[in-house]
Amino acid sequence: MKISEIKMQDILDYLKIDESDADADVRQELATFKDAAVGYVKSYTGLSAEECDKHEDLTVAVFILISDFYDNRAMYLPSNQAQVSKAVENILGLYQMNLL
């Protein structure tokens, strides 16, 4: 699956959220998390959306990021303590173009 093909139902299934629990607020929150995750992947790697779609393993990173955003949405960490999942870091590192 390409990043551009991720649908709300895919996110709900990945997070194991029942359809009946996914009201408009939850869906909006998840859509925001998806946008943030895709933006993070693009920024981290330096790839365009089209280039990201060529690497289906980046979709896994997007799902992991969405899950992390969802699970930790009420947690506050000072910026010096913020951490990215090792799985996400490893996947994104494969495609990192902006090595400055």
Side-chain angles (χ1 to χ4, degrees):
M1 172 186 296
K2 298 175 182 178
I3 291 175
S4 63
E5 297 173 342
I6 297 173
K7 305 290 184 239
M8 181 57 63
Q9 189 59 50
D10 299 321
I11 296 170
L12 293 172
D13 291 345
Y14 183 82
L15 297 175
K16 297 181 179 20
I17 298 174
D18 190 72
E19 186 75 29
S20 62
D21 295 330
D23 61 15
D25 291 337
V26 169
R27 289 174 182 272
Q28 179 59 49
E29 185 176 46
L30 293 175
T32 301
F33 293 158
K34 177 188 171 193
D35 291 344
V38 171
Y40 184 85
V41 167
K42 289 170 31 181
S43 176
Y44 190 103
T45 62
L47 298 173
S48 68
E50 295 78 23
E51 291 169 323
C52 285
D53 272 350
K54 294 177 184 176
H55 308 286
E56 291 192 15
D57 51 342
L58 291 176
T59 304
V60 175
V62 170
F63 278 119
I64 293 170
L65 286 166
I66 293 169
S67 177
D68 190 46
F69 295 158
Y70 182 76
D71 290 342
N72 298 304
R73 63 193 180 277
M75 182 185 296
Y76 169 77
L77 289 174
S79 61
N80 63 344
Q81 292 181 2
Q83 295 183 358
V84 176
S85 159
K86 277 295 192 192
V88 170
E89 194 174 279
N90 289 336
I91 291 169
L92 298 182
L94 293 172
Y95 305 105
Q96 190 172 13
M97 303 297 284
N98 49 357
L99 299 174
L100 295 178

